[in-house]
Amino acid sequence: MTQTTKPFLLGILSGLCLFATLPTSVQSWSNVIPSNRNAQTKLMMTSSSPSRRDALQRFGSIIAGTTSAALLINAPPADAAATPSPAELKKLQLGYGRVQYLLKNWDEITSSCGTKIMSDLERKQIVRTEGGGGGSCDKTPLRVQEFLGYKSTEDPLYRADKLMVRAAQLVDPDNLEDYLDVVEKYREKADQTAMMAFTSSWGEANPNGGKEVVDDYLEKTKIDTEETERYLKAILGFLNLEVLPPLTGKL
């Protein structure tokens, strides 16, 4: 990185931190948790994913007119974009631990067995067609969203991309461009994983659907989750955050 590039990237970082603190109504980077499935489908299918170059250009223009922009959008004080606290950064560590737990216990988490109330005839049919002891298992793809911060504001990874942007202040300036690139890739892949999990949940209900369709999309969801995990681990590395011991128990 050249000496002339560093000041530019540091200026971009200031714009990123300002953007991370803007009110939700003027932001388009992170998804808002939908209240129903139809809203979620529309949100995921129509949300755009700006490239890193476009994002940098947009933030550059923000920096050029910081004073005017702040007046127009009622931006919060500059200290609102303060460096994340250790407690906030720990959310990324806990979130990564939860994603690891999800992958390690994938089949158990994405399946629900023996919860249906069946008649004796239905139970016998299950034994004949699916084997086992008469129980029935359903796939639960939407549980994947719980581990990626798309179902609850209490989840460690809820709107994690905004925290990652603020945390860019902690990254070595020589690595800042690479860090922002990984953050963008993480956001895109996490969104894609949540969308794939949602698609899988409707695999049996849609026309020409069935359990095979659910299983196929769920396998694709797992692949996306694995990629999301790799990006998240890379972000921890940029921020010098250690990987916490594996989570145990039932989540």
Side-chain angles (χ1 to χ4, degrees):
M1 182 181 298
T2 65
Q3 293 299 318
T4 57
T5 304
K6 286 184 179 180
F8 173 73
L9 284 177
L10 291 175
I12 293 298
L13 174 57
S14 300
L16 286 168
C17 293
L18 171 64
F19 179 76
T21 63
L22 300 185
T24 304
S25 60
V26 296
Q27 294 175 359
S28 60
W29 196 322
S30 287
N31 287 332
V32 177
I33 293 181
S35 59
N36 57 64
R37 287 188 170 184
N38 289 333
Q40 186 171 10
T41 301
K42 181 177 180 181
L43 179 63
M44 290 181 173
M45 295 299 290
T46 61
S47 63
S48 60
S49 299
S51 67
R52 176 165 54 92
R53 178 176 298 177
D54 292 339
L56 292 178
Q57 290 176 343
R58 183 166 65 252
F59 294 134
S61 64
I62 290 176
I63 295 168
T66 300
T67 303
S68 301
L71 292 174
L72 288 173
I73 60 180
N74 296 320
D79 59 359
T83 304
S85 67
E88 289 178 297
L89 293 174
K90 192 171 184 179
K91 291 181 179 180
L92 298 179
Q93 295 171 286
L94 292 173
Y96 178 72
R98 283 172 56 83
V99 175
Q100 279 190 310
Y101 181 92
L102 168 63
L103 289 171
K104 184 178 180 180
N105 301 276
W106 184 265
D107 291 337
E108 178 184 352
I109 292 173
T110 59
S111 299
S112 177
C113 300
T115 58
K116 282 187 175 180
I117 300 177
M118 298 180 293
S119 66
D120 290 339
L121 177 59
E122 290 175 323
R123 192 174 295 108
K124 291 176 181 178
Q125 290 174 334
I126 290 292
V127 173
R128 288 199 303 269
T129 58
E130 300 183 13
S136 175
C137 294
D138 291 320
K139 298 298 183 181
T140 54
L142 290 180
R143 287 221 59 198
V144 174
Q145 295 185 353
E146 296 178 16
F147 288 81
L148 295 178
Y150 287 81
K151 299 293 285 186
S152 170
T153 59
E154 300 300 320
D155 190 273
L157 293 181
Y158 175 68
R159 293 188 177 179
D161 59 312
K162 299 185 183 302
L163 175 58
M164 293 170 183
V165 169
R166 289 175 52 214
Q169 303 171 74
L170 302 173
V171 177
D172 186 329
D174 289 334
N175 298 326
L176 181 57
E177 185 176 359
D178 291 337
Y179 172 77
L180 294 177
D181 185 45
V182 173
V183 169
E184 178 66 7
K185 288 179 178 178
Y186 162 81
R187 184 192 66 80
E188 292 177 349
K189 185 55 65 174
D191 283 352
Q192 180 177 324
T193 303
M195 181 181 69
M196 193 62 68
F198 178 79
T199 303
S200 177
S201 71
W202 279 93
E204 193 168 359
N206 288 333
N208 301 319
K211 291 187 176 181
E212 297 79 7
V213 176
V214 174
D215 292 342
D216 180 58
Y217 278 108
L218 189 55
E219 183 59 31
K220 293 177 181 178
T221 303
K222 184 177 183 180
I223 294 173
D224 286 340
T225 303
E226 291 170 341
E227 292 187 47
T228 301
E229 183 265 346
R230 285 195 290 270
Y231 288 132
L232 186 52
K233 184 176 182 179
I235 289 168
L236 294 183
F238 277 111
L239 298 174
N240 295 315
L241 297 173
E242 65 177 352
V243 174
L244 300 179
L247 298 177
T248 57
K250 187 175 181 63
L251 299 181

